Amino acid sequence: MSSCSSRRSAPNQQGSPAGAGIVLSVYAIGSAGAGLVFGALRLTVPLPRLLLLSTAGTALTTLPLLLVGNIATLSAAVFFSGLFFAPTMIVVMGLVEKTVPPAALTEGMTWAITGLSVGVALGASVSGGMVDRFGPSGGFAVAIAAGGATVLLALTAQGPLNRGLRARAVERPADEGRAKSVL
């Protein structure tokens, strides 16, 4: 999502401001469809590995953005980028659910959504400046850089995430035996 302003500005620079809505809709359709399919799957792959795979997929699907020449090719490119957005968010929320103590779950989810919102805002700001200076390809370069940074972060987080999952798995049986308040 860091190149959202790039996706909007590319159609504007081609003389088709309404095309921005089409492009964003195609991205959303890809994300929604993939989220529905991914949510229905019963995967046995560990969540930290799924995070690495989904961020790698996100990063790889930013590369075709450099090849777009019109609204149709931009829409096709962002459709494939969208395929990884919802599954990545599902994995992130699953990691929060599995690593954060139940009493802090709402706070953990809030931090994850806040991180996403800050990333989108920073990405839009930086890519907007790059678009102003270099055209749409400048904004797409920001998306590619952000994708690479996300993969590096997911790779670096593998150890801590796996340790957190193991620690919560040990704690969880003790939590399940206690009476739960409905308030």
Side-chain angles (χ1 to χ4, degrees):
M1 284 295 287
S2 70
S3 67
C4 193
S5 66
S6 302
R7 292 180 190 140
R8 283 191 298 241
S9 70
N12 286 339
Q13 290 202 358
Q14 291 187 354
S16 178
I22 293 168
V23 171
L24 291 174
S25 295
V26 170
Y27 180 86
I29 290 167
S31 179
L36 289 170
V37 170
F38 188 83
L41 297 175
R42 299 289 174 236
L43 300 174
T44 58
V45 179
L47 286 172
R49 187 171 306 137
L50 281 176
L51 179 66
L52 183 58
L53 293 171
S54 64
T55 57
T58 299
L60 288 173
T61 60
T62 61
L63 296 174
L65 293 173
L66 294 175
L67 305 174
V68 300
N70 56 41
I71 292 173
T73 56
L74 178 60
S75 295
V78 301
F79 174 80
F80 289 105
S81 292
L83 291 177
F84 287 92
F85 183 74
T88 302
M89 289 305 301
I90 292 168
V91 169
V92 167
M93 292 302 161
L95 282 165
V96 170
E97 179 185 9
K98 302 272 189 223
T99 58
V100 173
L105 189 57
T106 301
E107 181 181 355
M109 297 280 184
T110 302
W111 278 112
I113 295 298
T114 300
L116 171 66
S117 299
V118 168
V120 169
L122 286 173
S125 176
V126 172
S127 65
M130 293 293 284
V131 166
D132 288 345
R133 188 166 183 168
F134 301 105
S137 62
F140 296 148
V142 172
I144 292 167
T150 304
V151 171
L152 289 175
L153 181 62
L155 188 59
T156 304
Q158 292 296 295
L161 288 172
N162 282 313
R163 284 190 296 277
L165 287 170
R166 281 193 300 273
R168 285 293 300 143
V170 170
E171 294 171 10
R172 192 162 288 129
D175 291 342
E176 290 174 3
R178 296 185 189 140
K180 294 179 175 73
S181 171
V182 291
L183 297 177

